[in-house]
Amino acid sequence: MDKTSIINRDKNKYLHSLNEEQRQAVCSVDGPVLVLAGAGTGKTKVLVSRICHLLNNNHAKPWEILAVTFTNKASKEMNNRVSNLVGQAVEGIWLGTFHSIGVKILRSNAELIGLKNNFTIIDTDDQTRVLKQLIKSNNIDDKRWPARSLSYIINKWKDMGLLPDEVPPESISNFAQGKSIDLYKDYNSLLKVQNAADFGDLILHCISLFKNNPDVLRDYQKKFKYILVDEYQDTNQAQHKWLKFLAMGSKNVCCVGDDDQSIYGWRGAEVGNILSFERDFPGAKIIRLEKNYRSQPHILKAASELIKNNKGRLGKTLWTDQENGDPIIISSHLDGSEEARSVVENCEIISKNNNLNEIAILVRAGYQTREFEDRFLTVNIPYRVIGGPRFYERREIRDAIAYLRVISQPNDGIAFERIINVPKRGLGQTTIKSIYELSKKNNESLITSAQNILLTEMIRPQAKSSLGKLLENFNRWISLRDQTNVRELLEIVLDESGYTDMWQKDKSIEAPGRLDNLMELADTLENFENLTDFLDHVSLVMENEKNESSQMINIMTLHAAKGLEFDHIFLPGWEEGLFPNQRSLDENGTLALEEERRLGHVGITRARRTVRISFAHSRRSFGEWQNSIPSRFIDELPDENISFIEDNKNFDNNFFQDNDFNQDINFDFDQSYQSTKKIPHIMKNIFIGSKINHDKYGIGYVIKINYEKLDIIFEDHGKKTIISDYVEIIND
Ligand code: ATP
Ligand code: MG
């Protein structure tokens, strides 16, 4: 490498903060490059620096750079980091997720794939609704063959980049006696008639566009001189095809990824893509980074040892020159709410000397956030849920947006169907079914059929008059679309449709909150110049980013935490069944177990300074209490990097006093201990207070645990010390 050119002082000052390998990755601008490296080694930093390098050295103009990130949050973050280094130039760069870039390409070429450029993007909820109608109209029993299953099958094909004609026979499931391909075809045609695309289409339509229009492809290939992709291990086959089309022009493609962080297999991500990079792009330069700049040694070591239990991996060694720091703390709790109490208490302690933004709680399942949210609300600590209960997914917001969607794009039958009878205006299932049938028969959009049905006798006069009024309203709102600002338009629509009135009259507890949300939506609209921009934003961002600038504790799923870093990480709910997640294991066995372990690895490696893993001995699940045992992943962490504490402070001592046996016994509840050893085997299913049975002494209660030895108070024999193997737990 030409050192004089790199150390071209000020212009290239970002290069000084890179290590030798990182610098190589940044400066090897020509030809394919793969950076294959572990967590926190600076892969994303390499991409950011590479963009600066390309711009500063006039290798490319901003609009000749295509940078793909995994989430909207990540692209925003990258945008900030690049703009700090190159200023305004960042605006021209094509920087976004696969989906957002797909939309941008499709909006300019919609006609070529049979859509209009104002097409609507539908989400999974809409998709399921369309499929349900389709299943019904084909006289298939939707109880036996539910829309959700079909949606899963179709999305999987779309993720694989397969159109109906391309699905290989062995991939055709027995859904509705092999009708899935026909349904897939019908579904695609239906979306086209309604001028709509689902998420999978945003990539798949681009692939068809590139395949069938070589001149369009050539233009894009020429345009994008440099392509960069973050989190490459989680691209699916469709995205991979998409990328190959674009990158085959200049071949200046730089992908970064880590096979140990592939966590989207369940959504079709193909870790094989990263492993076959050299085959896809012959002559590729592979660069490995081994120095971790993020985590202190205990954390890094524990994460590395955990992931070593996976067989399907390339293997890598990471090192750091940071100070040792604290071992990972593992704490056990009586139940889920005790765990939440303890986590929040520890957050409070940490927040005394730290920025709240630097604390994150990462959970395996979305529903786990509630307990922490409740706790934070009780103690009044601000928090945000990243990617969580999404603002734009709330019912009233979806309704309001459905009105706007029809106004933006009147062929959008999915949105039309959602609000045709919201608020109630006497247009029930029978009317909707008639409109739907007419639309199918004439191959026209729902709203056109709604208009045409008024000329027939297919629906009752009352329904006719009500439908006529709604359509008249829509015509007027559509005529206002280009003259009124979006906020005003929304207010007019919500008032004139009777929607606001519906919630004002609603006596339920949520109604006021829903009205607040609608007001919040109106405020959001101020930021958009036109309706299409806003609707694109909703489809792609789907996140409530209110108050993003102030300090808050972060709560999110492990999946959403990819690529992020925080000083302090909490990992609650490390119990068998919850994590590793039983449903995944049931569906995919060993493969799923390895993916779960990678999730654990991702979780731990988000931390710079401290990690606290916790588990509860029992948890309420779907209304029932269930005993649980700690996750096998806890056992896999090295003893020397963990410290175990039992946190049962709030244990109810009255429990024993209420049972008036053995009053003379001196109860010893001080079970807190610090240990660098693994969790005692016995702790896995017995805890203080457990009710047990012993062959000779009968029923008793555990009052102390000392590894395999249990102190038990028997109802008829008083206190005894018994080895755990000889007792049987009783779950009342
Ligand atoms: P992940 O796999 O989790 O996405 P990553 O490999 O993308 O991680 P980055 O997020 O780019 O890693 O970097 C991790 C942290 O290390 C960041 O805070 C980054 O600023 C810092 N870092 C990376 N390289 C260097 C370096 N050469 N000198 C100092 N700090 C660095
Ligand atoms: Mg990264």
Side-chain angles (χ1 to χ4, degrees), residues 43-44 230-231 563:
K43 297 182 296 300
T44 305
D230 200 359
E231 307 279 1

Side-chain angles (χ1 to χ4, degrees), residues 17 22 38-45 261 293-294 563 565 606:
S17 67
Q22 291 174 329
T41 52
K43 297 182 296 300
T44 305
K45 186 177 170 91
Q261 293 186 68
Y293 289 90
R294 181 181 293 145
E565 60 185 21
R606 297 309 92 201

Side-chain angles (χ1 to χ4, degrees), residues 115 122 126-127 129-135 137-138 183-197 201 411-414 417 436 439-441 443-446:
L115 291 173
I122 64 161
D126 288 331
Q127 187 189 42
R129 208 132 27 93
V130 174
L131 290 174
K132 194 168 179 171
Q133 291 287 4
L134 202 60
I135 289 171
S137 70
N138 275 281
L183 289 164
Y184 182 19
K185 266 189 208 152
D186 285 357
Y187 167 69
N188 280 351
S189 326
L190 206 91
L191 288 191
K192 285 232 167 123
V193 172
Q194 306 201 15
N195 194 23
D201 287 338
N411 283 345
D412 187 342
I414 301 151
E417 197 202 325
Y436 193 81
S439 130
K440 193 148 185 261
K441 191 169 131 224
N443 201 21
E444 61 192 14
S445 72
L446 275 192

